[in-house]
Amino acid sequence: MSVFTGYGRKNEIDFGDYVKIEMLRYGVPNEFYIHKVVGSLESNTWVDVPVKWPEEEKIHNKMEKVLNVICCGVDETNVYRVRESDCTKIGVD
């Protein structure tokens, strides 16, 4: 049984997808915010998860697939990078 994931795509996260990312909250449990993916690339610079505010990209000593994301409904003008492995892809109804 196969699942259609788009034309030529196989479950990877890319432009136009929505993901959940853990956001740090002080004194209470962390929350997961929905973000829209506006690009993907390989880089050694990304924001560590859970994301603290303001987001601060850090240089790491290895390359990984990262996503450029925008936090939906909060500040939709700020684009920052997170590792794809720190994101959970979600479907939109």
Side-chain angles (χ1 to χ4, degrees):
M1 175 181 217
S2 64
V3 176
F4 177 74
T5 58
Y7 297 96
R9 294 178 58 186
K10 301 190 181 354
N11 274 350
E12 69 265 2
I13 301 171
D14 205 353
F15 179 83
D17 290 332
Y18 288 87
V19 295
K20 288 192 300 187
I21 301 173
E22 186 175 9
M23 308 297 279
L24 181 68
R25 296 201 49 211
Y26 296 96
V28 294
N30 292 344
E31 290 186 357
F32 287 83
Y33 285 25
I34 297 174
H35 292 70
K36 184 169 186 171
V37 178
V38 294
S40 64
L41 64 145
E42 287 198 13
S43 178
N44 67 339
T45 305
W46 62 80
V47 174
D48 291 322
V49 173
V51 176
K52 298 177 187 175
W53 192 89
E55 304 88 0
E56 183 178 327
E57 292 182 351
K58 295 184 180 174
I59 298 173
H60 298 81
N61 61 1
K62 61 182 175 176
M63 298 285 285
E64 293 210 24
K65 182 172 180 191
V66 296
L67 307 172
N68 288 330
V69 297
I70 297 172
C71 189
C72 296
V74 178
D75 180 4
E76 296 186 3
T77 62
N78 186 25
V79 177
Y80 60 95
R81 292 179 181 172
V82 292
R83 286 189 309 176
E84 181 182 53
S85 60
D86 291 331
C87 301
T88 305
K89 185 176 178 179
I90 60 172
V92 177
D93 296 332

